[in-house]
Amino acid sequence: AQRVTQPEKLLSVFKGAPVELKCNYSYSGSPELFWYVQYSRQRLQLLLRHISRESIKGFTADLNKGETSFHLKKPFAQEEDSAMYYCALSLQGGSEKLVFGKGTKLTVNP
Amino acid sequence: DTGVSQDPRHKITKRGQNVTFRCDPISEHNRLYWYRQTLGQGPEFLTYFQNEAQLEKSRLLSDRFSAERPKGSFSTLEIQRTEQGDSAMYLCASSFGQAWKFYGYTFGSGTRLTVV
């Protein structure tokens, strides 16, 4: 079965420190992976997707098929990065379903 | 257009009662999705519509759950004979075609259901 694992429920770093939010997936097909973010009192929104290989708000994520991982990284965390982060997997075959991980709450301390 | 709207924001109901939630997507979006999120979990897919057709349903959607999108615009999600395990945040999202793969879903604020 398809599964997305985010091993850290909570992650706390200091401003300016590097941050890495881990995501591992289990899927036999060719995955499309996404990171969604939910800031306090805001709606869930897309942060970035692996197919575009872009950097958004200083965050990057590389798909590692060998390790089945899609970790989210930022070299210098900012207080405004504090939020709930969800890794999500899209399935092949025309399914519109997204499989989400349980999420990691990131807190960036001043 | 103020984005995806969900109504009500909160609903408290007694076990065994029926509840109905409404979602108004962005007007030009032809795809509409329902997800459920329980405490400490990520969103779980329930169902999705392309226009008025319900094209995919999760096994999570038991016989007590029914969703409609009669005119391809707003959608309703009804839960019959509610159980305490139905307590969750019900999220609606919309997208135009497969643009969600590039721009993500547009999510609503959700309806929080509490079954007492």
Side-chain angles (χ1 to χ4, degrees):
Chain A
Q2 312 88 15
R3 184 172 295 179
V4 175
T5 303
Q6 294 181 251
E8 302 131 332
K9 208 171 184 177
L10 303 169
L11 185 61
S12 183
V13 300
F14 286 103
K15 177 181 169 183
V19 63
E20 182 180 49
L21 291 88
K22 291 186 168 50
C23 172
N24 289 89
Y25 65 91
S26 169
Y27 180 50
S28 56
S30 186
E32 289 185 38
L33 285 140
F34 306 82
W35 277 98
Y36 275 76
V37 62
Q38 188 166 24
Y39 300 102
S40 179
R41 287 186 287 277
Q42 292 188 30
R43 302 173 186 199
L44 198 55
Q45 58 186 287
L46 179 68
L47 178 63
L48 56 79
R49 58 202 186 278
H50 92 270
I51 53 174
S52 60
R53 302 182 67 81
E54 62 202 338
S55 172
I56 302 290
K57 298 185 179 184
F59 284 98
T60 58
D62 289 319
L63 176 61
N64 185 323
K65 290 188 179 180
E67 295 182 359
T68 59
S69 68
F70 187 56
H71 303 327
L72 184 67
K73 300 177 186 178
K74 184 168 183 177
F76 307 104
Q78 303 299 313
E79 288 179 69
E80 55 266 29
D81 297 327
S82 296
M84 196 74 190
Y85 291 81
Y86 295 95
C87 183
L89 168 72
S90 167
L91 309 180
Q92 283 181 307
S95 172
E96 293 284 310
K97 174 180 163 181
L98 267 183
V99 177
F100 284 86
K102 293 184 180 184
T104 297
K105 184 174 181 181
L106 173 66
T107 301
V108 181
N109 299 297
Chain B
D1 195 342
T2 55
V4 178
S5 300
Q6 291 189 246
D7 184 67
R9 293 292 302 273
H10 303 275
K11 178 72 178 177
I12 300 174
T13 191
K14 290 184 179 178
R15 191 174 52 188
Q17 297 292 305
N18 299 343
V19 293
T20 301
F21 311 140
R22 177 180 170 123
C23 172
D24 286 88
I26 291 175
S27 55
E28 58 267 26
H29 284 185
N30 60 348
R31 296 191 181 194
L32 186 147
Y33 310 83
W34 284 99
Y35 279 77
R36 181 176 69 183
Q37 187 172 20
T38 52
L39 203 59
Q41 303 293 317
E44 295 173 293
F45 174 82
L46 291 178
T47 189
Y48 110 89
F49 292 85
Q50 180 166 303
N51 300 312
E52 65 275 9
Q54 188 174 19
L55 296 185
E56 194 172 353
K57 286 169 65 171
S58 165
R59 279 174 286 182
L60 290 175
L61 216 62
S62 75
D63 292 347
R64 297 184 298 106
F65 287 71
S66 62
E68 292 183 341
R69 194 182 183 199
K71 297 181 181 177
S73 56
F74 73 91
S75 175
T76 57
L77 178 68
E78 182 184 14
I79 309 174
Q80 296 184 326
R81 305 181 302 282
T82 52
E83 300 172 357
Q84 287 191 317
D86 298 330
S87 295
M89 177 74 85
Y90 289 84
L91 294 167
C92 178
S94 70
S95 171
F96 180 74
Q98 293 211 321
W100 65 268
K101 293 196 175 189
F102 300 95
Y103 305 112
Y105 295 151
T106 301
F107 275 94
S109 296
T111 293
R112 181 167 296 283
L113 173 67
T114 302
V115 181
V116 298

